[in-house]
Amino acid sequence: MSRWQIIRDGHAVAWDVIPGDTHTDDIEMAGFGCAQVVTYGMTEDGFLLEHHPVFPTLRTRPNNTHASYQMAIPADHLPRLTAGGEMLAETLLRAELDGTLYLETTAADGTLKMAHRCYPSAQKRLCFERITVRNTSCVPVSLDITAPDRVLGRDMGPMGINLIEYSTDFAPVTLMPGAEYTYSIAISGRVANEGIPTEDADDALRDRRETVCRLTEPMQLDTGNQTLDTMFRFAKLRAGESIFDTRFGYGKLHAPGGFSYYAATWCNDQVEYAGPYFAYTGDPVLLDAAMNAYRMYIPFMCDAYLPIPSSVIAEGVDFWNGAGDRGDAAMYLYGASRYALTTGNRDIAEELLGAIEWCAEYCERQKNAAGVIASDADELENRFPAGDANLCTSTLTYAGLLGLAALERAFGCEDKAALFEARADALAAAIEAHFGYALHGMETYRYYDGCEKLRSWICMPLCVGLYGRTRGTVDALCSEYLMKPDGFLTEEGSVTIWDRSTLYALRGIFASGETETALDLLLRYSTNRLLGERVPYAVEAYPEGGRRQLSGESALYCKVITEGLLCMIPTGLHSFTIKPTLPQGLDHLYLRNIRAHGASFDVLLEREGWRVVRADGTVLGEGTNGVMGEITV
């Protein structure tokens, strides 16, 4: 039985604590001014609740990728409740996650019940813990709090002295039987010459709930499977919330999070993963953050065709390229072309077209003698070998060239469209000739020349519509060499699982038509991530990464539905293809309020077939399960 259960029609998950059980977890939440990581649970020493705020616009030295000012705050560094002059010992009864963290506890002697709710400010460098105390005894109880030093952290940074402080609105009170008292603790970050950020805790909670609603309103998924629908809802939240204000004119930036990655953008997480997903939401904040990420790479594109950096960091004032060329131009070519097409916004497409063309030319210049695209590494940044030319870089280039051809056609440039389509065709043939390979008797792909081990990224051809080796590739992914209960091993014989390649694999298996296999894997994965021991989001990797719940992986989870199960691929600013197949394990699949290609529409998939219906009721297209259709909105 899973530790967590779905409640409130899929809007939350809950853990009812069994007496004597010990378990801890953490959850990251974010607003424009801060990220708030809260660790909670029960240990052998009792109730655990610790805060770890991160302030991306407060920088440390050296001002590098990891320089967001942050600190882990031990519980005794914040005010703690006392009852009758004695420190209160609490026992956790229940935890709920609904975009906030809600914890119900009881005093050891049973006289008091407490409710803690933790959440970040939507706008400011503030995060909150809101506490309600109820007297369940038959006698009055006097309440007070401890008074630790108000300043929690004081450190020199490149912009001045960084300060982390707490404040509280608590006032000593005698709580009568049956009565309640609510107070809050706010943790703030600032530079020394700034005023302390302030906000009413109740107003901040209302704004946080509005943020959760805003991010989960687009693309309402209804499959009749509560686990799948709820996991999708949580994935939309995690993918969309990790956006932070920056200075120096770069505006809001989406970032992975996970203690390390803020106020910066990456060619894989933001450009390749998140941007194309954001284009389906129509959300102005998400679209703005995606555009800012794409814009930040354009100054690095020059006539000498030097590699673009892997990451633009520190609020846009520096870059990181420690792994060399990871195929970053291919990531940009793929992500930016799909983003531009899916938004349906001609101005956006025109602004990005030159950069996308530059990336196509850069990739063309990286072709080796075999006709595939060379790169120094891949997104795993030399953690695992990738040879001189890897399968990811070439397949992303292939799909990006097709996206660019569609963009050129949207602007009436037929000659350019034909050129890029011809390059894509030639690259597809080269991918088959160079990477097509038999391993363990299965006709699949080798990840690079000389690679004799199966890799999870052999899924990539399936993700971009190259289905010539579908059977062998699906068999290889699902074999004892790669598939584990938690996902797919990065490389056979290793112990490392990266959710990003697992989610790409699920997407590719769905898109290739192996629907029943894919659904079984997706449900198992979703149950584990949503309701297991590390919840409620996709993770980065483990053992490496400590199962950090980075935001880009949640965007990839959403794309399992849009680009995998529904197989939606943009073909123009106002058109896309769709090839949905309803698995036997689902009665239906409705994806409502998709905001893409300049319109709002629903995809309705039932056993009898599929329909795409615009918001005004117009049926834009319909067809048979497993048969592709072209939709113009």
Side-chain angles (χ1 to χ4, degrees):
M1 182 177 177
S2 299
R3 180 178 296 278
W4 292 76
Q5 303 298 319
I6 298 169
I7 61 171
R8 298 206 293 274
D9 295 324
H11 285 66
V13 293
W15 164 35
D16 287 312
V17 181
I18 299 171
D21 188 18
T22 57
H23 172 71
T24 63
D25 203 351
D26 65 70
I27 182 76
E28 181 167 358
M29 301 168 281
F32 296 150
C34 75
Q36 178 185 20
V37 184
V38 185
T39 301
Y40 62 94
M42 283 296 293
T43 72
E44 292 181 355
D45 295 325
F47 175 54
L48 175 67
L49 177 59
E50 293 185 347
H51 296 268
H52 187 123
V54 183
F55 300 103
T57 54
L58 300 179
R59 310 302 296 173
T60 62
R61 296 185 299 170
N63 192 5
N64 58 21
T65 300
H66 310 287
S68 296
Y69 189 48
Q70 60 184 287
M71 68 179 302
I73 303 172
D76 60 3
H77 284 43
L78 291 173
R80 298 179 66 184
L81 194 65
T82 64
E86 298 293 328
M87 190 76 69
L88 199 66
E90 299 177 57
T91 298
L92 181 62
L93 301 177
R94 181 178 173 90
E96 295 181 8
L97 300 172
D98 63 356
T100 68
L101 170 64
Y102 175 76
L103 304 169
E104 292 181 1
T105 67
T106 184
D109 61 6
T111 58
L112 298 172
K113 291 286 180 69
M114 281 70 65
H116 304 256
R117 191 177 296 276
C118 304
Y119 50 93
S121 167
Q123 303 286 340
K124 299 184 178 183
R125 295 193 198 116
L126 278 168
C127 53
F128 293 90
E129 180 184 344
R130 186 176 181 273
I131 304 104
T132 296
V133 188
R134 179 163 57 92
N135 185 352
T136 56
S137 75
C138 57
V139 297
V141 178
S142 59
L143 301 180
D144 207 339
I145 56 172
T146 60
D149 187 346
R150 179 180 59 81
V151 178
L152 301 165
R154 184 186 289 110
D155 297 278
M156 182 78 76
M159 312 300 178
I161 302 295
N162 295 323
L163 296 170
I164 295 179
E165 300 154 290
Y166 79 83
S167 61
T168 181
D169 58 3
F170 180 90
V173 63
T174 297
L175 199 60
M176 302 306 291
E180 290 185 349
Y181 177 67
T182 297
Y183 67 99
S184 63
I185 299 170
I187 304 170
S188 63
R190 65 183 175 109
V191 177
N193 67 326
E194 297 177 335
I196 298 175
T198 59
E199 186 174 12
D200 180 79
D202 289 341
D203 290 344
L205 178 58
R206 183 198 63 239
D207 290 347
R208 173 62 180 174
R209 294 200 184 285
E210 289 179 355
T211 297
V212 172
C213 289
R214 176 177 63 81
L215 293 174
T216 55
E217 180 182 353
M219 293 196 292
Q220 297 280 340
L221 180 65
D222 173 10
T223 67
N225 184 292
Q226 196 175 41
T227 299
L228 191 59
D229 297 347
T230 304
M231 180 72 180
F232 189 80
R233 188 178 191 277
F234 272 97
K236 291 188 293 182
L237 171 59
R238 182 70 194 125
E241 70 173 344
S242 193
I243 290 175
F244 305 94
D245 281 325
T246 62
R247 298 163 295 178
F248 315 121
Y250 291 103
K252 290 178 171 59
L253 287 183
H254 184 258
F259 300 100
S260 294
Y261 310 114
Y262 303 89
T265 184
W266 279 258
C267 271
N268 48 343
D269 291 66
Q270 279 64 56
V271 169
E272 178 191 340
Y273 303 169
Y277 157 67
F278 289 164
Y280 284 100
T281 71
D283 184 278
V285 174
L286 303 188
L287 295 176
D288 181 47
M291 278 301 292
N292 290 337
Y294 293 122
R295 289 171 178 139
M296 290 182 80
Y297 289 93
I298 295 175
F300 295 94
M301 299 175 184
C302 69
D303 292 344
Y305 287 94
L306 303 175
I308 60 175
S310 303
S311 177
V312 184
I313 65 170
E315 301 180 89
V317 302
D318 207 342
F319 68 90
W320 180 84
N321 63 350
D325 177 10
R326 307 178 308 158
D328 299 285
M331 298 174 193
Y332 192 104
L333 172 64
Y334 169 86
S337 62
R338 291 208 168 185
Y339 172 83
L341 289 168
T342 305
T343 62
N345 187 308
R346 193 174 184 87
D347 291 339
I348 285 175
E350 188 170 17
E351 180 179 348
L352 293 179
L353 183 59
I356 298 168
E357 289 176 333
W358 186 95
C359 289
E361 179 60 25
Y362 176 89
C363 291
E364 179 71 13
R365 294 176 182 222
Q366 300 306 306
K367 276 187 177 178
N368 65 15
V372 296
I373 313 302
S375 59
D376 299 326
D378 62 3
E379 67 153 36
L380 294 183
E381 298 165 1
N382 298 312
R383 295 175 178 90
F384 288 82
D388 297 324
N390 65 76
L391 186 60
C392 266
T393 298
S394 288
T395 49
L396 288 172
T397 301
Y398 166 78
L401 288 170
L402 293 179
L404 176 54
L407 276 176
E408 299 288 6
R409 191 161 282 119
F411 286 98
C413 301
E414 290 293 336
D415 289 346
K416 283 187 175 181
L419 169 66
F420 293 125
E421 286 174 338
R423 288 185 183 179
D425 290 342
L427 183 53
I431 289 171
E432 169 61 26
H434 185 71
F435 294 110
Y437 203 66
L439 288 166
H440 301 294
M442 295 172 283
E443 291 295 333
T444 181
Y445 301 91
R446 57 183 177 183
Y447 190 57
Y448 57 88
D449 185 19
C451 181
E452 296 294 331
K453 291 184 177 182
L454 287 171
R455 297 284 290 270
S456 56
W457 286 113
I458 59 173
C459 65
M460 287 301 294
L462 306 183
C463 295
V464 299
L466 298 174
Y467 301 134
R469 292 175 176 263
T470 295
R471 181 72 268 151
T473 300
V474 172
D475 287 345
L477 289 167
C478 297
S479 71
E480 61 182 314
Y481 303 104
L482 290 179
M483 191 169 72
K484 299 298 176 184
D486 274 358
F488 298 104
L489 292 174
T490 300
E491 178 179 82
E492 67 169 283
S494 72
V495 296
T496 304
I497 290 175
W498 285 72
D499 269 21
R500 55 191 65 187
S501 60
T502 292
L503 292 165
Y504 257 108
L506 288 170
R507 173 179 143 200
I509 296 171
F510 270 122
S512 70
E514 296 288 334
T515 310
E516 304 307 324
T517 298
L519 180 64
D520 179 66
L521 297 173
L522 179 60
L523 291 177
R524 189 168 68 202
Y525 172 90
S526 300
T527 299
N528 186 37
R529 292 291 181 270
L530 179 68
L531 302 173
E533 298 298 288
R534 179 72 175 111
V535 303
Y537 304 122
V539 301
E540 181 191 23
Y542 59 93
E544 179 181 341
R547 301 198 183 200
R548 292 179 292 200
Q549 295 169 326
L550 303 188
S551 60
E553 280 75 0
S554 285
L556 289 178
Y557 185 91
C558 295
K559 293 168 75 171
V560 172
I561 304 300
T562 56
E563 298 182 22
L565 209 156
L566 297 178
C567 202
M568 296 170 61
I569 307 297
T571 57
L573 292 175
H574 304 292
S575 64
F576 62 95
T577 58
I578 184 169
K579 190 186 71 172
T581 302
L582 186 66
Q584 291 298 319
L586 299 179
D587 174 72
H588 61 273
L589 188 155
Y590 304 145
L591 190 61
R592 302 184 186 276
N593 195 20
I594 304 168
R595 305 169 185 172
H597 298 288
S600 177
F601 56 91
D602 304 335
V603 174
L604 308 175
L605 177 59
E606 297 174 331
R607 192 66 54 204
E608 297 77 18
W610 56 265
R611 290 180 299 144
V612 178
V613 183
R614 201 166 59 201
D616 63 5
T618 302
V619 177
L620 300 174
E622 53 190 334
T624 304
N625 281 323
V627 177
M628 181 181 292
E630 176 98 21
I631 305 297
T632 300
V633 301

